[in-house]
Amino acid sequence: MTPVYVAVLAPFLAAVAGFFTGGRRPRTAVPVAVSGAAVALLAVLWPAAQAVTAGATGRYGDSAHLASVPTGTLPIGVDLRVDGLAALVAVAVGVVALAVQVYSVAYLKGDPRYSSYAAFVSLFTAAMMLVVFADDLLVLLVGWEVMGVCSYFLIGHHWEQPDAQRSAVKAFVVTRLGDVGFLFGIFTLGVAAGSFRISHAVGEAGRLSEHTVTVATLLLLCGVVGKSAQFPLHVWLPDAMAGPTPISALIHAATMVAAGIYLVARLYPVFLAAPVTLAVMAVIACVTMLGAALAALAQDDIKRVLAYSTVSQLAYMLAALAVGSATAAVFHLLTHAAFKALLFLAAGSVIHAVGTNLLRDMGGLRKAMPVTFATMTVGLAALTGLPPFSGYFSKEAVLGAAEEAALHEGPVASWAAWLVLVVGLLTIAVTAAYVTRLWLMTFFDAPRSGIAVHESSPAMRWPLVVLAVPAALLGFAGLGHGWLPHWLSLDERVPGGITPLDPAFPARPLHIGAVTSVLSIVLALGGFAAVLAVWRRAPSRDPSLRLQRLRPALEEAFWVDDLYDRLFVRPVRLAARSVRWTDDGVIGAAVAGSGTEATRVAGLLRRAQAGNVQTYLTGLLAGVVLLAVGVVTLT
Amino acid sequence: MPLLMPLMVGALLFALGVYGVLARRNAILVLMAVELMLNAVNLNLVAFDVYLRDGLLAGQVFTLFVITIAAAEIGLGLAIVLLVFRNRATVELDGLTDLRETDPPTALPVTADEQAVAT
């Protein structure tokens, strides 16, 4: 378990060191931050290697119980657990974190707040590692919330811009909204299972009543939907792009948003016991998948295109979970982490060179930035799902699982599986279309910006090249039966029921169907060809302008933000204003009024204090005479 | 001698003293008026002592006390008056109103916080 402790503590210590010394010694910030991520990556390679080589001995798994916190009822255990799933996700986190740290050195060169930025990235890495390795729901929640806070601070890195402030608050509030449900989900599940231990809850999944499991999983799903930016809580992610681009790569594409998916995969037997939740997940995933892909079609900001594509791809993972294949979901999570981190870093390289986020100001960068062009092309091909790039295999695994659940028996109702299958295929065409638009508008035609563009510095180039390798090749890991499914060895539904943590049971292979493969390639090429045809007619124009009347709807992402503004933001503002009015006009006025009134009444008494001793004495004498007369007459 | 006559004289003297204390402006005259009041009391004490034929002569003893105290008081009082005159070149009691209540502050000053809330 030592590598696990190191993986969690190294970035944490780097963060602490960064916070305390970064301001005074800015030159140490870079080595501290980079070494924290590097040590964490090296540490998690060891359990990952063990998980990969576990082969003959069955499943790899190890856990440690560090402490137990008595609470009066259910104790909170500081438990850590490492298995194939945790180790592989941790490697993805480590690789992306290290790439982002190295990349940030160049991207944020000369930024006065670099040291606190790097420290927050380190803290985020530690929190994500904690989430990945936690075996107790409340310990996981700690990491989960720390990630949320880091995300808030990093989105608000440029806090002098009102945009960044607003986005940071929005991200924080929206994800917190989901976390309320998440917390109660943890309580429900923990109390029902009799322990907050994840491995215990997973083991108990079959014995709990269906109502309890449904309620618990639906509540947990709230947190997942918030963190993984699914409809209806997806609104924060596109706005989170106000943060620096490496942050978008690390937090808002590759790791934190995947935490929701990871959590479901971790608790998968519990979710499998609740078909209602799975159906809800399928519907949410379908709405998000297609909606976000359509919205990506008309965005002007390159990062917003990628943000919507992240939302859409996360929906694929959720869909895979809904149709009963956690392996496919985690597979897509890993490939997506690779190619989306690559895409964001490449987009950052483009933005850094051109000095704008807007697609219409780019163009013609192919010759000036060959490395960025090549790596981004790999990333975009993977995102579209073109063979042989990684996205193709993972997306096919998702669609294969949906096909299997639709045609044969699955954990979810077959209508939901059909929905996932059809929407998943449709989305591929839309994905291909927006990817093509992004690619053409960024790299082809004549340069539209006046400045002389050149390739980025090596610290920014190398992470791109390193990430391009898994983005291109990671897909093959899913091919062999003894490879990825076996390394992950997740609990899935098999004919005959659920097999929670059965070491003897062989992992189920990924199903890649011939029909879905052909269909998806045809659809992807169709989307590509359609955009290409539109673009060739007028290369300098935005192809999405051809959508005409539909375009505003897509650009505004179907006015969900406006709707929320009307439904929630304005009423809350109104209520807040009335609370302020009550505070000022009623409570404050009462307090201030009692003060001024007391002063005014006291003014009457003040008149008597004339300062003339003889007046006082006259009053005194009058009083004495009155008393004397009173005594005489009354007795 | 009937009791009434010294008592009448005492009351008259006391009333004179009261008038002097309350109405005169000159501090020295006020002090003299105080002496008048004290002596009115002395007269009462002696008169009652004789009238009651007190064996211990308590009334006369008290009178001696009062005379002593009066002497001490006038000494202290004159010293105060002298100092007042030295400081202010006047002994008019009407002018010595330093302890009177000044005008109240009209309103509490608005703090920065309140201003921020108001805007």
Side-chain angles (χ1 to χ4, degrees), chain A residues 25-109:
Chain A
R25 274 184 245 127
R27 255 190 295 165
T28 59
V30 170
V32 163
V34 173
S35 62
V39 170
L41 174 60
L42 288 178
V44 294
L45 283 178
W46 171 247
Q50 275 186 309
V52 167
T53 53
T57 54
R59 291 180 175 200
Y60 167 66
D62 193 4
S63 61
H65 179 72
L66 296 180
S68 186
V69 184
T71 58
T73 53
L74 292 178
I76 302 169
V78 183
D79 292 309
L80 296 178
R81 180 180 163 72
V82 54
D83 51 18
L85 169 66
L88 291 185
V89 174
V91 169
V93 173
V95 169
V96 177
L98 182 60
V100 163
Q101 285 282 22
V102 171
Y103 181 93
S104 300
V105 174
Y107 192 84
L108 289 173
K109 194 169 202 160

Side-chain angles (χ1 to χ4, degrees), chain A residues 118-134:
Chain A
F120 271 120
V121 173
S122 298
L123 182 62
F124 168 83
T125 313
M128 184 74 198
M129 290 292 183
L130 186 65
V131 167
V132 169
F133 291 119

Side-chain angles (χ1 to χ4, degrees), chain A residues 236 435 461:
Chain A
W236 66 271
V435 161
R461 236 167 21 218

Side-chain angles (χ1 to χ4, degrees), chain A residues 226-258:
Chain A
K227 205 64 150 183
S228 292
Q230 299 296 296
F231 179 82
L233 297 181
H234 64 284
V235 287
W236 66 271
L237 190 61
D239 285 13
M241 297 304 133
T245 310
I247 290 313
S248 308
L250 174 65
I251 298 186
H252 306 118
T255 54
M256 185 183 86
V257 288

Side-chain angles (χ1 to χ4, degrees), chain A residues 188-189 191-193 208-218:
Chain A
T188 314
L189 184 61
V191 169
L208 302 176
S209 85
E210 198 181 323
H211 291 297
T212 317
V213 174
T214 306
V215 169
T217 47
L218 279 176

Side-chain angles (χ1 to χ4, degrees), chain A residues 584 606 609-612 614, chain B residues 21 24 93-94 100-101 104 117:
Chain A
D584 278 358
R606 199 178 287 117
Q609 301 274 16
N612 190 331
Q614 285 169 316
Chain B
V21 167
R24 300 310 298 234
L93 285 181
D94 284 0
R100 77 164 178 279
E101 178 67 44
V117 170

